[in-house]
Amino acid sequence: MKFTVKQIATLLGGEVAGNDTLAITGLAKIEEGRPGDISFLSNLKYEPHLYTTQASAVIVDRSFEPKKPVDSALIFVDNSYSAFTRLLEEYHKQLLFARVGVEQPSYLGEGTEIGEQNYRGAFSYIGRNCRIGHNVKIYPHSYVGNNVQIGDNTIIHPGVRILDNSIIGKNCVIHPNAVIGSEGFGFAPQSDGTYKTIPQLGNVILEDFVNVGSNTTIDCATMGSTIIRQGVKLDNLIQVGHNVEIGKNTVVAAQTGISGSTKIGENCVIAGQVGFAGHLTIANGTKVGAQSGVGKSVDKEGTSINSSPAFGLKESMRSLAVFRRLPTLEQRLTDLEKKNEK
Amino acid sequence: MKFTVKQIATLLGGEVAGNDTLAITGLAKIEEGRPGDISFLSNLKYEPHLYTTQASAVIVDRSFEPKKPVDSALIFVDNSYSAFTRLLEEYHKQLLFARVGVEQPSYLGEGTEIGEQNYRGAFSYIGRNCRIGHNVKIYPHSYVGNNVQIGDNTIIHPGVRILDNSIIGKNCVIHPNAVIGSEGFGFAPQSDGTYKTIPQLGNVILEDFVNVGSNTTIDCATMGSTIIRQGVKLDNLIQVGHNVEIGKNTVVAAQTGISGSTKIGENCVIAGQVGFAGHLTIANGTKVGAQSGVGKSVDKEGTSINSSPAFGLKESMRSLAVFRRLPTLEQRLTDLEKKNEK
Amino acid sequence: MKFTVKQIATLLGGEVAGNDTLAITGLAKIEEGRPGDISFLSNLKYEPHLYTTQASAVIVDRSFEPKKPVDSALIFVDNSYSAFTRLLEEYHKQLLFARVGVEQPSYLGEGTEIGEQNYRGAFSYIGRNCRIGHNVKIYPHSYVGNNVQIGDNTIIHPGVRILDNSIIGKNCVIHPNAVIGSEGFGFAPQSDGTYKTIPQLGNVILEDFVNVGSNTTIDCATMGSTIIRQGVKLDNLIQVGHNVEIGKNTVVAAQTGISGSTKIGENCVIAGQVGFAGHLTIANGTKVGAQSGVGKSVDKEGTSINSSPAFGLKESMRSLAVFRRLPTLEQRLTDLEKKNEK
């Protein structure tokens, strides 16, 4: 980021008091602000920091009147908190899409079409017959196999592996070292104890606005597609098995594993380190507690489940409370038995 | 894949009814078949799809007689299901081994010997003094350290890291971003609270027909070898600690962790998200339920264990059933106590 | 390693009996020693191997007198075990820092400063305005973003991703495919069920002597820094969320996950597959059992906790013991109820 205080004020529809020619190069909390930073004051609990901060500029509410002299430039806006948030988002977007052009060496297969405003980092590899949209950022060391489609405004971070025939939507973000479309775990036991590989010939489809965390793995379908619907957010180190489907706007926290052919509904919230057995159907709006082990389908929308194996959240909380008292419970039973023997 | 209907019929020992010159480029379920696809009809429940499918060809049993006109070419064989499976396998094999030759830039260290029919993708790195067999496929961005051996017909997917002195057998498949032979977690506590690194100087041995999933990590031994025996199948995101040994034809599902020096027997089936403590010995044919925590060795072959900490599967299922009733159990006990007080 | 027996004896302050001109190229256990290896004999239980080993040299205690003729050269030292350990450490260090120079092609951004005695592997990528210290080893396929600092003697293994603005201390080791500084999992739910990305603009700081395991992910802070303090050791496949802080000399075993903004104290020992909820504070010296789910802060130093959800280790062991007896417990209660009905 490199803007003057004046440019930022114009962007936010605010007025400046102080030096509006200062260059702003970063954002910071008011107590951590350094020269070149812009910060904000919304909660007046933090007002004392305003008189000591080294930030070059501070965004404040229009209604605010400083009680002491302020070194920083002040930008007066309707709502300082939302103005700062907006600035964060603008800055973030700018950072994400800053890179343009092709670094060398990079590899491009035959028959691949690429849109405009793209970035292809050094040592990136794009196979044959791919269709890559506009404003796509493919960072260094990324691998895109053959016959892959990637929609506009999608960011492929360093070291991502997208295997053959994958379809990635628009406005997706794939974080470093994620693997999309690797072969699932399909082996048929043979009579001599060995296993024969079941060919995995399907693909992975990521719809628009999907986020995939670092080192997360999404296996291709045996046949057909493993499908991650629009707006799904996957955290780091998640395993998604072959032929899984995850419904719109479902969020899944880190280190969760979803076994093959399980269908998870829309708007679910899955906490971290959860495990799903295969071939389940999980209703829309299901909430699953951390480290749960889901062994059965969930039919009713909006159900909250917990524990391993998972059952109703409230019931599980009650059982877990008694679990802690088990030694006492056992003792009470023994006492009662003795009493009854007499 | 690019074959004519006739070529496929010959491969399968079948006879064609219809246009045997059509080009086949893919495989599909009969209800999803499109021009260029070949499909099959085995279960007659799906017969109606035969009369509407757009697949260019459909494999059917010799005994089958269509009740209506069919647009697709038909290939009559003894067993349509196994014929289709065989086709899948052939196609899969062809895909896996399709790549031949060297893409540039790629790096090859001194003293390394490489067999024939190999593929080395762009940005692949092979260190010094390695011995690479025939028909080995080393995808882009793969790293092979120094003094590594890789047997014939092994596939190293993009982003795999194989560190110095590793020995990889024949017919192995290492999926993207797996790490083989990184240093294990060995630190000796010092009196001042810091830790000193214990040198990890051993290696990893993968015997023949081993599969390693995406983002799985296998640490090298402190001294000697971490050994993955013939036919072992490891899913994604698994952790295998230093000096572990996994016996022949054992399968391990995703996100399981095996701590240092544990020996797992042959033909075991380990579900997902299981944890093994270190220095255990697990008997042949042991089955471990998902999310189990294995803290003790298993002596008896064919044992099924479950839960965390793990114990007998049946016993654990009974305890888990009572666990759900714990609040009632506590209430019953309280009632009884009251009754006894009177 | 390539030394003569004499050179090793000099390094260890020992005296040689036998051929001191032999070349030593490896280290091995006495029972596995082969020509070119050096081994040691400390525990006299292993003495018989001394008379049969093929090792070229064996380190023994000064007080030791062989009972039979020995083929290997002997190096007499004060303490054969510590001498061998020292040799292991020297060898390990030598291996770790053996690589020097720049392999091509490799990528170096503008404005980046690099110290001396460094290694930059083929296909390594270093962005703009970085400061890289002396004796830093950056292996092939590693990605270092813009404005990154890396201290002296740090080793960046193949496929590591270090994102923009990260600060890595001295004497760190980052294992293959670890991801440092990727964007955390921050999404604000919107009224239409979709999620808006919360910009993650902070960074990651690793202090000196930190180890990060293979495929481990450490997210950058939303604002400010995710901080891994001096001497922390992280195993493989660990997830560290945004704004987490891990105190000095804490060790964390494989596959553990730490949610956003949790602060873990110094000298803690965290076992494998543990999960921490977000925004917790964990006291110094806390010990957490494998597969525990930590949902509450720990206030008292030196506490041991266990189970999911986690509570006191001793209490949890007692509850887990009763858990196994639950079916019997229920039966005993039923029996008592029947008795009371009469």
Side-chain angles (χ1 to χ4, degrees), chain A residues 201-279:
Chain A
L201 294 165
N203 73 343
V204 172
I205 298 175
L206 262 58
E207 293 187 352
D208 301 341
F209 295 99
V210 169
N211 271 50
V212 178
S214 300
N215 281 337
T216 280
T217 59
I218 305 178
D219 286 341
C220 73
T222 309
M223 291 186 75
S225 301
T226 301
I227 305 177
I228 313 295
R229 296 280 178 209
Q230 189 172 318
V232 167
K233 310 297 179 190
L234 301 178
D235 201 349
N236 300 343
L237 292 164
I238 288 170
Q239 151 70 356
V240 179
H242 53 83
N243 294 83
V244 163
E245 183 173 335
I246 304 182
K248 268 173 68 172
N249 300 323
T250 281
V251 295
V252 184
Q255 296 178 320
T256 281
I258 306 171
S259 301
S261 300
T262 282
K263 311 287 175 208
I264 295 185
E266 303 181 359
N267 297 99
C268 294
V269 177
I270 317 291
Q273 296 184 337
V274 170
F276 288 88
H279 297 274

Side-chain angles (χ1 to χ4, degrees), chain B residues 32-327:
Chain B
E32 297 172 354
R34 300 198 305 176
D37 287 340
I38 186 164
S39 188
F40 76 108
L41 175 66
S42 171
N43 184 337
L44 292 182
K45 195 173 81 178
Y46 297 101
E47 184 176 344
H49 293 299
L50 179 65
Y51 309 113
T52 58
T53 187
Q54 294 185 51
S56 297
V58 179
I59 305 170
V60 296
D61 288 341
R62 271 215 173 83
S63 57
F64 176 75
E65 289 180 31
K67 301 193 185 59
K68 301 186 193 174
V70 177
D71 288 342
S72 320
L74 294 180
I75 303 180
F76 291 90
V77 297
D78 287 345
N79 182 324
S80 59
Y81 179 73
S82 10
F84 189 72
T85 303
R86 196 176 146 206
L87 210 57
L88 276 179
E89 285 164 2
E90 279 297 322
Y91 179 43
H92 188 229
K93 213 166 161 187
Q94 222 186 87
L95 276 179
L96 284 180
F97 293 103
R99 301 197 184 197
V100 176
V102 180
E103 295 168 355
Q104 291 302 352
S106 55
Y107 185 96
L108 194 59
E110 282 175 25
T112 285
E113 293 169 21
I114 301 196
E116 295 183 359
Q117 281 297 101
N118 289 356
Y119 167 61
R120 290 195 288 124
F123 318 121
S124 63
Y125 183 103
I126 302 180
R128 295 194 311 270
N129 304 320
C130 296
R131 275 186 288 166
I132 314 288
H134 300 298
N135 203 29
V136 172
K137 310 300 178 182
I138 296 180
Y139 275 74
H141 304 121
S142 284
Y143 172 85
V144 176
N146 299 330
N147 312 311
V148 171
Q149 296 176 33
I150 302 180
D152 298 347
N153 310 315
T154 282
I155 297 170
I156 310 293
H157 278 286
V160 167
R161 314 293 164 202
I162 300 177
L163 282 86
D164 293 357
N165 309 312
S166 297
I167 298 175
I168 312 290
K170 297 178 183 176
N171 300 293
C172 293
V173 182
I174 321 282
H175 289 284
N177 288 352
V179 177
I180 315 260
S182 53
E183 289 190 32
F185 199 60
F187 299 98
Q190 305 298 298
S191 55
D192 62 353
T194 65
Y195 287 85
K196 197 171 169 182
T197 300
I198 298 169
Q200 306 288 317
L201 294 165
N203 74 343
V204 172
I205 297 174
L206 262 57
E207 293 188 351
D208 301 343
F209 295 100
V210 169
N211 271 49
V212 178
S214 300
N215 282 336
T216 280
T217 58
I218 305 177
D219 287 341
C220 74
T222 308
M223 290 186 76
S225 300
T226 301
I227 305 176
I228 314 294
R229 296 279 178 211
Q230 190 172 315
V232 167
K233 311 296 179 189
L234 302 177
D235 201 350
N236 300 344
L237 292 164
I238 288 170
Q239 152 71 355
V240 179
H242 53 83
N243 293 83
V244 162
E245 183 174 336
I246 304 183
K248 270 174 67 174
N249 299 323
T250 281
V251 294
V252 184
Q255 296 178 320
T256 282
I258 306 171
S259 301
S261 301
T262 281
K263 312 287 176 210
I264 295 185
E266 303 181 357
N267 297 101
C268 295
V269 177
I270 318 292
Q273 297 184 336
V274 170
F276 287 88
H279 297 274
L280 305 181
T281 304
I282 306 297
N284 293 341
T286 300
K287 289 188 166 58
V288 186
Q291 297 191 326
S292 294
V294 185
K296 287 184 189 168
S297 290
V298 174
D299 300 328
K300 203 186 148 196
E301 298 202 359
T303 306
S304 289
I305 58 175
N306 189 47
S307 203
S308 173
F311 57 111
L313 172 64
K314 278 185 193 167
E315 294 76 12
S316 82
M317 297 307 278
R318 282 191 208 117
S319 283
L320 287 164
V322 183
F323 174 77
R324 290 194 177 209
R325 295 191 290 267
L326 276 185

Side-chain angles (χ1 to χ4, degrees), chain A residues 88-89 92 96 99 103 123 141 161 177 214-215 236 249 255 267 273 291 323 327 330 334 337 340, chain C residues 123 125 142-143 161 177 182-183 193 196 201 215 219 237 239 255 274 292-293 308 319 325 332 340:
Chain A
L88 277 179
E89 285 164 0
H92 188 228
L96 284 179
R99 300 196 184 199
E103 294 167 357
F123 318 123
H141 304 122
R161 316 291 164 204
N177 288 352
S214 300
N215 281 337
N236 300 343
N249 300 323
Q255 296 178 320
N267 297 99
Q273 296 184 337
Q291 296 191 326
F323 174 76
E330 191 176 44
T334 305
E337 283 171 336
N340 273 259
Chain C
F123 318 122
Y125 183 103
S142 283
Y143 172 84
R161 316 293 164 201
N177 287 352
S182 53
E183 290 191 31
K196 196 170 170 182
L201 294 166
N215 281 337
D219 287 341
L237 292 164
Q239 151 70 358
Q255 295 179 321
V274 170
S292 293
S308 174
S319 283
R325 295 191 288 268
R332 283 165 58 192
N340 272 262

Side-chain angles (χ1 to χ4, degrees), chain C residues 123-145:
Chain C
F123 318 122
S124 63
Y125 183 103
I126 302 180
R128 292 194 313 271
N129 304 319
C130 296
R131 273 185 291 166
I132 314 288
H134 300 298
N135 203 28
V136 171
K137 310 301 178 184
I138 296 180
Y139 274 74
H141 304 122
S142 283
Y143 172 84
V144 175

Side-chain angles (χ1 to χ4, degrees), chain C residues 158-188:
Chain C
V160 167
R161 316 293 164 201
I162 300 177
L163 282 86
D164 292 357
N165 309 312
S166 297
I167 298 175
I168 312 290
K170 297 178 183 174
N171 300 293
C172 292
V173 182
I174 321 283
H175 288 284
N177 287 352
V179 177
I180 314 261
S182 53
E183 290 191 31
F185 199 60
F187 300 97

Side-chain angles (χ1 to χ4, degrees), chain A residues 276-298:
Chain A
F276 288 88
H279 297 274
L280 305 180
T281 304
I282 305 298
N284 293 341
T286 300
K287 288 188 166 58
V288 186
Q291 296 191 326
S292 293
V294 186
K296 287 185 189 168
S297 290
V298 174

